């Protein structure tokens, strides 16, 4: 009787294995490196675009939008001229990434310079926050996966980074951060234009 029970259980397991759906390829692993997905072939049909401001101030947080016809997967990369990877290059703000996306490391310069999809749900628009460097021209590039068999390269978008304005006379950049406001000097102190500290009059 025990033998018949074991045979019955074994037969049930075999039936489950035979009827269980075969695993399908995942979009999550679709973006192979920072330039191309590891599946499908390139298409000449550009259906999605990168929307970004033409220029912005050094150190600013800017909104970048990936928008167009329905897409399932994507890879978006940000870089800048004259910066050191992982030190002073532009980056995606990981705290404000849309649901279903994540930073991508393999094949990229650093952890936060590229973002990709973590699900294959259909989407037409995604919004990201990019932290700008102190200088240089920022370029956004990437691909969009429309289905598992095809993708297209996005038309690159550039952002000209202009230096933060110097502090006016009577104020100072006390935290040495060009992205924060200048501070008015207290009574009895004075800051020359572009000063980092307020000094005694």
């Amino acid at each position: 009787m025990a033998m018949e029970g074991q045979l019955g259980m074994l037969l049930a397991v075999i039936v489950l294995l035979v009827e269980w759906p075969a695993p399908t390829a995942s979009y999550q692993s679709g973006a192979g490196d920072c330039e191309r997905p590891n599946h499908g072939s390139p298409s000449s049909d550009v259906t999605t675009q990168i929307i970004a401001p033409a220029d912005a101030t050094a150190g600013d947080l800017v909104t970048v939008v990936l928008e167009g016809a329905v897409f399932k997967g994507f890879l978006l990369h940000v870089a800048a001229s004259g910066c050191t990877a992982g030190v002073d290059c532009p980056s995606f703000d990981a705290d404000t990434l849309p649901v279903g996306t994540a930073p991508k490391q393999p094949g990229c310069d650093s952890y936060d310079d590229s973002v990709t999809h973590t699900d294959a749900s259909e989407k037409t628009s995604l919004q990201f926050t990019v932290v700008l460097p102190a200088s240089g021209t920022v370029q956004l590039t990437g691909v969009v996966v429309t289905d598992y068999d095809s993708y297209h390269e996005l038309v690159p978008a550039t952002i000209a980074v202009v230096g933060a304005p110097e502090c006016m006379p009577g104020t100072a950049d006390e935290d040495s951060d060009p992205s924060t406001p200048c501070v008015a000097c207290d009574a009895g102190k004075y800051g020359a234009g572009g000063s980092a500290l307020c000094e005694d009059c």
Side-chain angles (χ1 to χ4, degrees):
M1 188 73 171
M3 184 68 137
E4 289 176 1
Q6 289 177 347
L7 283 172
M9 286 181 64
L10 182 60
L11 184 58
V13 169
I14 291 171
V15 168
L16 274 174
L17 289 175
V18 169
E19 293 184 354
W20 194 263
T24 56
S26 168
Y27 280 91
Q28 186 169 352
S29 59
D33 54 33
C34 271
E35 295 179 359
R36 301 286 185 277
N38 64 8
H39 60 76
S41 56
S43 166
S44 59
D45 297 330
V46 177
T47 60
T48 307
Q49 61 180 334
I50 303 170
I51 302 171
D55 53 65
T57 304
D60 273 0
L61 301 177
V62 297
T63 299
V64 172
V65 179
L66 193 58
E67 190 170 74
V70 173
F71 59 94
K72 294 187 175 182
F74 73 92
L75 174 62
L76 195 56
H77 181 73
V78 64
S81 55
C83 69
T84 303
V87 178
D88 59 353
C89 289
S91 60
F92 288 98
D93 181 9
D95 294 332
T96 59
L97 289 179
V99 174
T101 68
K104 181 169 179 59
Q105 174 72 49
C108 308
D109 293 331
S110 63
Y111 175 72
D112 55 2
D113 67 358
S114 301
V115 287
T116 190
H117 53 282
T118 57
D119 67 68
S121 62
E122 293 186 343
K123 28 196 158 314
T124 57
S125 180
L126 290 173
Q127 182 173 300
F128 306 91
T129 301
V130 172
V131 183
L132 296 181
S135 62
T137 299
V138 170
Q139 186 174 56
L140 292 137
T141 55
V143 296
V144 163
V145 178
T146 50
D147 57 58
Y148 195 78
D149 296 320
S150 63
Y151 66 90
H152 72 257
E153 290 189 34
L154 297 164
V155 175
T158 57
I159 304 171
V161 180
V162 295
E166 289 188 347
C167 292
M168 299 291 291
T171 66
D173 184 11
E174 292 186 337
D175 61 0
S176 299
D177 184 350
S179 67
T180 58
C182 299
V183 177
C185 297
D186 294 332
K189 292 187 176 288
Y190 182 77
S195 296
L197 294 172
C198 292
E199 299 178 357
D200 293 333
C201 294

